[in-house]
Amino acid sequence: MVEPISVSYKGVRLWEIPPNGQGITALIALNILDEMDLKGMEHNSPQYLHHLIEAFRLSFTDALQYCADPEKANVPIEELLSKRYAAKRRQLIKSDRSMPDCSHGDPADDGDTVYFSIVDEEGNACSYICSNYQMFGTGLVPDGCGFTLQNRGHGFSKDPNHLNVVAPNKRPFHTIIPAMVTDDKTGELLASYGVMGAFMQPQGHVQVLLNMVEFGMDPQRALDAPRIRVQVTQDGCLDVARVEDGIPEEAIKELQVMGHDVFGPIKGHHRWMYQFGRGHVITVGNWWDKWEGRLKPETGTRVLWAGSDPRGDGIAMAQI
């Protein structure tokens, strides 16, 4: 068992698993986006997408530099998630152009994944994700068992000076991150959710949550909405953003004027190839309807709302 990590965002609190997973990437990005008037930018407008792209670039450069097994390395989780550090990183984002270079900060200075979510009648929730990594993982099947062992050792760095360098009895950086959202003041459960798709996972977590908090979308609409994906490899964050079908052509052109290397809109089966994620969401009540930073009496019901991503196999259903 591990202690989850979290940040607050406009009255909600997003919970992720800690390093050695990449959940901290979503939290860093959300912290950077805090204090921005995203609602005023309009959903999937060029300005909105520009700020998401830049926040993802910054968060991935930090996560790929500092995320490692905290039992074997000193991972500065508290510093990376501080509002002070987020403000410092936010200053690097320019509203009219993309950053020419994107490198990690210094916080100390100041296809093989399954996900499901369950909420019961008493309000208990489970956000669960599991992945073998790269098809059949290691390809090794323990004697007498019917499953293969995972291949997450691929997530280690071979750089001897890197915090995440491969070593005995050490956990590697990995990408599988289930999430929950709670009310920042009361701690009440607001949502149990997750988005599959390697490095798309933290980007999907942030975009789905923003769709609900900033734009009042219900769980299904929040999952249906077109997404962007900043391209990331184990070696770093690339200066390429892929956009899904549904993002206006005008928005793509304006992002390119800002200096972003944008590829898209990506349509049909190619959306799967370029992995815009597949997720599921359950919310407790319709708090996302005109969210104002707190639970309103009329949205504080225990009625469960659910959505399942049309980009993959899945279903939202109730047990009667």
Side-chain angles (χ1 to χ4, degrees):
M1 299 292 289
V2 296
E3 288 292 328
I5 55 178
S6 67
V7 297
S8 62
Y9 180 85
K10 299 186 179 179
V12 303
R13 180 164 291 275
L14 174 62
W15 295 85
E16 301 276 4
I17 64 170
N20 50 315
Q22 68 166 343
I24 197 170
T25 314
L27 301 182
I28 294 171
L30 206 60
N31 254 355
I32 292 171
L33 294 168
D34 201 7
E35 305 298 330
M36 292 184 182
D37 182 19
L38 298 180
K39 187 179 295 185
M41 298 178 191
E42 298 184 2
H43 185 249
N44 280 348
S45 68
Q47 276 294 313
Y48 176 74
L49 298 176
H50 166 67
H51 284 82
L52 258 63
I53 290 170
E54 299 294 76
F56 290 144
R57 291 176 67 197
L58 290 169
S59 63
F60 268 114
T61 55
D62 278 342
L64 292 171
Q65 175 64 26
Y66 296 111
C67 194
D69 185 347
E71 293 185 3
K72 302 295 181 178
N74 183 22
V75 182
I77 297 174
E78 184 176 347
E79 292 84 354
L80 286 168
L81 298 183
S82 73
K83 296 296 183 182
R84 181 179 181 183
Y85 181 67
K88 178 181 174 182
R89 298 291 273 166
R90 192 182 304 120
Q91 291 176 355
L92 299 174
I93 300 177
K94 308 301 180 184
S95 62
D96 59 344
R97 63 185 185 277
S98 67
M99 292 176 288
D101 299 297
C102 185
S103 58
H104 67 82
D106 185 3
D109 186 33
D110 243 349
D112 34 34
T113 305
V114 173
Y115 174 82
F116 62 80
S117 185
I118 299 171
V119 178
D120 68 16
E121 60 185 1
E122 297 179 354
N124 300 302
C126 174
S127 183
Y128 180 89
I129 194 166
C130 182
S131 174
N132 264 5
Y133 193 63
Q134 294 184 332
M135 300 295 287
F136 291 99
T138 60
L140 301 175
V141 179
D143 289 343
C145 301
F147 59 87
T148 58
L149 298 177
Q150 49 87 6
N151 192 31
R152 288 286 165 178
H154 182 272
F156 278 122
S157 171
K158 292 180 287 186
D159 180 354
N161 298 315
H162 198 287
L163 289 175
N164 190 40
V165 64
V166 62
N169 300 313
K170 184 178 180 180
R171 295 173 296 170
F173 171 89
H174 69 77
T175 59
I176 47 178
I177 51 171
M180 288 190 182
V181 180
T182 59
D183 185 283
D184 193 28
K185 294 184 176 63
T186 67
E188 283 189 69
L189 177 69
L190 297 181
S192 177
Y193 80 119
V195 177
M196 298 166 278
F199 289 113
M200 182 62 201
Q201 292 183 47
Q203 301 181 66
H205 285 197
V206 171
Q207 290 178 78
V208 170
L209 182 63
L210 292 176
N211 287 346
M212 293 189 289
V213 173
E214 297 285 3
F215 301 101
M217 297 186 190
D218 63 50
Q220 190 60 58
R221 290 176 58 217
L223 289 166
D224 291 347
R227 300 173 188 150
I228 61 168
R229 174 180 176 138
V230 173
Q231 288 304 110
V232 181
T233 69
Q234 193 72 32
D235 296 321
C237 190
L238 306 180
D239 294 329
V240 178
R242 301 190 186 277
V243 296
E244 195 175 18
D245 187 27
I247 302 291
E249 293 277 2
E250 295 76 13
I252 297 174
K253 292 177 181 177
E254 289 195 39
L255 288 171
Q256 291 170 336
V257 170
M258 292 178 187
H260 294 291
D261 186 359
V262 181
F263 182 78
I266 297 170
K267 304 179 180 181
H269 179 66
H270 293 289
R271 295 192 306 165
W272 168 261
M273 293 172 58
Y274 291 111
Q275 289 197 33
F276 287 97
R278 299 101 57 212
H280 307 292
V281 179
I282 301 175
T283 67
V284 181
N286 60 332
W287 53 266
W288 32 261
D289 184 19
K290 300 178 181 177
W291 177 256
E292 297 175 354
R294 61 179 179 83
L295 279 175
K296 299 184 287 292
E298 63 271 22
T299 60
T301 67
R302 305 300 299 176
V303 174
L304 301 179
W305 295 67
S308 183
D309 206 312
R311 297 167 185 82
D313 295 331
I315 189 173
M317 62 184 295
Q319 183 177 16
I320 307 298

